[in-house]
Amino acid sequence: MAMLTNRWNPWADLARMQQDFDRLFMPGAAATSSGSGFPAVNIWSNEEQSLMTAEIPGVDPDKLEITVKDNTVTIRGNRQAESLKDGESWLLRERGEGAFARSFRLPFRVDSDKVKADYQKGILQLTLCRSEQDKPHKITVRSEQSE
Amino acid sequence: MSAKEMVQQEKQSPRKTAERERRPVFVPDADIVEAENEFRILADMPGVDENSVEVDVENNVLTVHGEFVPQAPEGYSLTWQEYRSGNYERSFTLGNTVDRENIQASVRDGVLRLVLPKAKEAQPRRIEVKAG
């Protein structure tokens, strides 16, 4: 497939937008220039849809809240730490806990009726289909025969 | 004995896996709780289940190893990446109070849970004498 070198890459904009979102959801995180937070997210895409995977080990999938509006996908949840009984104490605490929220703006509008969410082995996978109106339409160019 | 003696997590690079293959190896984040009769270790290992975790005790070192083979979904290309996938490995040094014979391990939602009972020191080990 021939590619133009200056082809616009919609995913490149995501990095910039991500920083805006992180600032919005986690004001304290504005100082960190990287857009990463919890959970870490990867996105796989093709022409029709995107698969968003997030590493969220140890959460109750019923308590994950996924919202989709236009081209924005938001994952919210709460990771509970082990509750200690009397006489128990922490020797080491590295695993994060508490509420989290991340939002992503995709380069297409998502069909919110077709979103699939699957949580297995601590990995959340969202299937996000491109909405019909958003799909590129092929327009046939007709030309009149020159005489 | 103090709690710190029991588990000194070793953060040196995991050699066991590195020798085997080139996939990245991660040191999982862990929590350790001390209770009256046991220690509990929780380790985040997303992508791993009970069939892909090994727990070994050799001398006084407990090593957890999780195998995770990342698979790219067919027909897609990676357009946004914040994490990489691979194996997990981490070692913990056990103190003498841990009953090595009865360590239990389970995995749920990508979290490995180890229960390490404390040995009943007052109780001498009973050795069964079988008739020959």
Side-chain angles (χ1 to χ4, degrees):
Chain A
M1 197 187 357
M3 269 214 243
L4 299 172
T5 45
N6 284 329
R7 198 172 110 157
W8 174 64
N9 175 9
W11 294 99
D13 281 355
L14 189 55
R16 188 174 43 78
M17 289 170 183
Q18 195 54 52
Q19 289 179 17
D20 297 343
F21 269 116
D22 285 341
R23 216 168 287 141
L24 194 67
F25 282 102
M26 304 178 288
T32 56
S33 57
S34 93
S36 67
F38 184 88
V41 166
N42 284 351
I43 304 174
W44 297 83
S45 307
N46 62 22
E47 298 294 316
E48 299 285 317
Q49 55 193 24
S50 283
L51 300 177
M52 185 185 269
T53 58
E55 289 193 323
I56 322 178
V59 292
D60 179 353
D62 292 338
K63 287 181 184 152
L64 284 173
E65 187 192 309
I66 293 134
T67 49
V68 173
K69 191 175 188 302
D70 299 329
N71 58 357
T72 304
V73 180
T74 305
I75 303 169
R76 284 171 202 277
N78 199 326
R79 200 160 96 125
Q80 303 276 353
E82 179 110 335
S83 51
L84 298 195
K85 297 188 201 93
D86 277 350
E88 296 186 342
S89 57
W90 296 102
L91 303 188
L92 180 68
R93 274 191 103 166
E94 294 173 346
R95 301 170 65 238
E97 58 159 313
F100 56 85
R102 292 205 70 193
S103 228
F104 289 84
R105 198 185 296 170
L106 303 181
F108 58 83
R109 266 183 294 171
V110 177
D111 187 337
S112 55
D113 294 332
K114 286 188 189 163
V115 175
K116 273 186 278 178
D118 179 50
Y119 181 74
Q120 270 182 34
K121 301 180 194 177
I123 299 174
L124 173 72
Q125 178 169 302
L126 302 179
T127 307
L128 306 159
C129 296
R130 201 170 178 146
S131 75
E132 283 300 323
Q133 309 101 287
D134 221 54
K135 281 183 188 165
H137 291 272
K138 222 174 212 171
I139 290 142
T140 321
V141 180
R142 275 186 273 182
S143 68
E144 291 182 19
Q145 291 283 335
S146 56
E147 290 169 38
Chain B
M1 105 179 228
S2 88
K4 283 198 176 112
E5 281 175 63
M6 126 73 196
V7 268
Q8 294 163 333
Q9 62 285 357
E10 291 165 12
K11 277 223 166 183
Q12 84 261 29
S13 68
R15 275 168 302 157
K16 190 177 169 182
T17 316
E19 285 165 8
R20 239 186 272 171
E21 61 236 49
R22 292 276 169 90
R23 235 180 288 151
V25 182
F26 301 99
V27 178
D29 285 342
D31 285 351
I32 303 176
V33 175
E34 180 172 12
E36 200 184 330
N37 302 317
E38 65 189 21
F39 296 97
R40 296 195 296 272
I41 301 179
L42 295 155
D44 283 342
M45 299 163 91
V48 158
D49 64 16
E50 63 279 4
N51 301 315
S52 50
V53 168
E54 277 173 34
V55 181
D56 297 312
V57 179
E58 204 178 313
N59 300 320
N60 63 338
V61 177
L62 179 144
T63 303
V64 298
H65 174 82
E67 287 276 319
F68 181 64
V69 185
Q71 281 180 327
E74 214 171 301
Y76 292 83
S77 56
L78 188 59
T79 45
W80 178 257
Q81 184 175 32
E82 291 177 348
Y83 69 89
R84 296 206 304 150
S85 302
N87 293 345
Y88 301 92
E89 196 166 297
R90 187 157 181 180
S91 295
F92 302 90
T93 305
L94 303 178
N96 294 327
T97 51
V98 173
D99 176 1
R100 287 149 172 72
E101 305 300 316
N102 290 300
I103 296 171
Q104 290 181 346
S106 57
V107 183
R108 191 181 169 186
D109 295 334
V111 180
L112 171 69
R113 187 188 185 89
L114 296 169
V115 179
L116 305 94
K118 291 183 185 174
K120 295 178 182 112
E121 284 160 310
Q123 213 172 286
R125 185 176 254 183
R126 177 183 271 168
I127 291 138
E128 297 229 359
V129 182
K130 285 180 191 166

